[in-house]
Amino acid sequence: MKKKNVRKEMSSIKTEKNKEIIILGIESSCDDTSAAIIKNRTILSNVVASQKVHEEYGGVVPELASRAHQQNIIPVVDLAIKRAGILKKDISAVAFTRGPGLLGSLLVGTSFAKGFSLASGIPLIEVNHLQGHVLALFIKEKDKEYNPPQFPFLCLLVSGGNSQIILVRDYLDMEVIGQTIDDAAGEAFDKCAKVMGLPYPGGPHVDRLAKLGNPDRFEFSKPRIPNLDYSFSGLKTNFLYFLRDNLKEEPDFIEKNQEDLCASLQKTIIDILLAKLKKAAKQTGIKEITVAGGVSANSGLRNALQESAEKYHWNLQIPKFEYTMDNAAMIAITGYFKFLNKEFVGQNVVPFARTQL
Ligand code: KG4
């Protein structure tokens, strides 16, 4: 995003202050079908249908995800419009996740949004899922205090598919200054949980069990990667081999030590995440710090961020739990800023499985 465009967008925010802009957001990048309605920055509804079908496979099965999206999308959009208390004709534009994500899943949301835009004669707005995660911090809730972050700020984006540090200069002006060179933090949680026999997605289970365990009991490897990048594949392998070796000696090693294993694993992931975030804050001199993505629901990470905020005098913003996971509210708010910037796309738009910010 060029600076020039952002300035234009900022000024249009001022001039369109009193105009009612209603955006329908659609999210279908992975295994959650979601639709949301936003009026200016205020959320009116956010409906998420999570797909249970993947649980028995221990991970998302792309073809099943795509089929479930097809079944869910119309009822989910219908409910979002009803809960918002608006009519279809009130919607100013439809915003959808174009990528990154699973192609078959993205195709469902993209096709639906295109059809909705065509049938209603309203603009179509494509949204980068990662940008959506960051802009979720700007969602306003009716009659609640509103304290969005101030620009520039750093956002630690940690989800099932991404681990990045993003320098956010403006609503639509973002730069990735550090990212994982292999697996994401969420993947490390989920894969390590899987080898311990925990259900998918494992992150919340590790979080729950970690609260009961000793985080200093076991030590796992931390990557030595230069600059602000991350790596989690080494930790995953280290954890797997550690279990394999101990299981040889003690077949019930996991059951006996599950809580300490979870606590030690979680501590290692948090230490890795925080080390680079602290480095980024120091390098940029930015003290406005935010977090986004599914892993930001982790209670250990939240506590560690709070501690660092006190120590380093950061102004820390953590989004509401509901907006950290995959959801369409974040797509709708991004759509709102793009609407003000008149960033629309045509019917020839196609989804992308992999995209950069
Ligand atoms: O952003 P998100 O909803 O979507 C994807 O990236 O697909 O993130 C999902 C990830 C999963 O890896 C899940 O295990 C992780 O977020 N997650 C957690 C917690 N809640 C969700 N990881 C650790 N602790 C949690 N409490």
Side-chain angles (χ1 to χ4, degrees):
M1 174 69 41
K2 293 195 188 78
K3 276 257 159 69
K4 218 170 97 203
N5 284 349
V6 173
R7 271 192 216 111
K8 207 166 67 186
E9 184 264 337
M10 294 293 284
S11 59
S12 54
I13 285 178
K14 278 178 209 136
T15 53
E16 304 217 18
K17 229 178 192 168
N18 299 323
K19 205 174 150 194
E20 246 180 34
I21 295 161
I22 297 183
I23 308 288
L24 163 65
I26 309 279
E27 157 64 29
S28 73
S29 64
C30 191
D31 59 343
D32 293 304
T33 319
S34 180
I37 302 283
I38 258 186
K39 182 157 95 180
N40 296 344
R41 294 176 185 219
T42 307
I43 187 82
L44 299 184
S45 65
N46 183 36
V47 178
V48 184
S50 298
Q51 303 175 358
K52 296 269 171 250
V53 63
H54 309 286
E55 271 170 18
E56 63 179 292
Y57 300 97
V60 178
V61 184
E63 180 55 31
L64 294 180
S66 177
R67 284 187 216 172
H69 282 306
Q70 284 178 39
Q71 283 176 349
N72 294 344
I73 192 124
I74 291 176
V76 163
V77 171
D78 218 34
L79 191 58
I81 293 173
K82 273 197 195 106
R83 282 196 187 157
I86 59 153
L87 298 171
K88 248 189 258 171
K89 68 170 179 52
D90 300 329
I91 299 170
S92 318
V94 52
F96 68 97
T97 306
R98 185 177 179 191
L102 300 171
L103 203 55
S105 292
L106 290 163
L107 265 170
V108 179
T110 307
S111 309
F112 180 88
K114 281 186 187 182
F116 195 94
S117 150
L118 199 62
S120 316
I122 55 172
L124 184 62
I125 300 169
E126 56 108 19
V127 172
N128 183 313
H129 182 82
L130 306 177
Q131 198 167 37
H133 270 303
V134 177
L135 294 179
L137 289 149
F138 292 90
I139 296 169
K140 200 170 168 177
E141 292 195 315
K142 209 167 166 249
D143 303 327
K144 294 230 175 101
E145 217 185 312
Y146 184 59
N147 291 313
Q150 303 291 310
F151 300 113
F153 63 87
L154 294 179
C155 182
L156 174 69
L157 173 56
V158 272
S159 68
N162 297 278
S163 297
Q164 302 182 323
I165 300 176
I166 303 169
L167 168 58
V168 187
R169 295 192 189 88
D170 213 324
Y171 297 102
L172 302 172
D173 184 6
M174 304 180 187
E175 186 190 340
V176 177
I177 57 172
Q179 63 185 323
T180 180
I181 57 165
D182 40 55
D183 299 334
E187 231 172 315
F189 269 111
D190 295 343
K191 299 258 166 76
C192 292
K194 193 174 173 183
V195 296
M196 285 188 283
L198 293 171
Y200 175 85
H205 296 282
V206 173
D207 191 358
R208 178 176 48 82
L209 292 161
K211 286 182 190 139
L212 310 167
N214 174 4
D216 300 314
R217 169 91 187 281
F218 304 112
E219 202 173 316
F220 300 114
S221 68
K222 290 182 191 156
R224 288 202 200 125
I225 307 282
N227 52 52
L228 298 173
D229 287 339
Y230 287 118
S231 165
F232 289 98
S233 71
L235 169 62
K236 234 174 50 185
T237 314
N238 175 232
F239 191 77
L240 183 72
Y241 288 174
F242 176 79
L243 289 188
R244 187 196 59 185
D245 294 346
N246 279 284
L247 284 169
K248 270 189 214 151
E249 312 280 316
E250 213 179 339
D252 55 355
F253 179 77
I254 296 178
E255 293 84 79
K256 273 193 184 156
N257 300 289
Q258 203 173 39
E259 290 159 359
D260 290 346
L261 282 167
C262 286
S264 304
L265 171 71
Q266 180 168 297
K267 181 178 184 283
T268 311
I269 296 176
I270 293 170
D271 285 351
I272 297 171
L273 289 173
L274 265 274
K276 293 297 171 88
L277 184 62
K278 285 178 203 163
K279 194 172 171 184
K282 201 169 166 200
Q283 268 179 20
T284 58
I286 295 174
K287 288 186 181 291
E288 192 81 9
I289 308 290
T290 66
V291 62
V295 179
S296 67
N298 185 269
S299 57
L301 178 62
R302 286 179 176 232
N303 291 341
L305 282 165
Q306 295 286 4
E307 276 168 27
S308 293
E310 275 161 38
K311 190 165 171 198
Y312 302 105
H313 308 291
W314 292 348
N315 181 23
L316 178 70
Q317 302 273 355
I318 302 182
K320 204 177 155 195
F321 180 70
E322 187 185 348
Y323 307 129
T324 61
M325 311 296 280
D326 282 354
N327 66 87
M330 67 186 200
I331 305 304
I333 187 90
T334 310
Y336 166 72
F337 293 123
K338 289 192 136 190
F339 185 92
L340 295 178
N341 217 20
K342 297 192 173 41
E343 285 188 33
F344 305 132
V345 286
Q347 285 287 327
N348 56 350
V349 67
V350 287
F352 282 127
R354 288 171 193 273
T355 36
Q356 288 292 331
L357 260 180

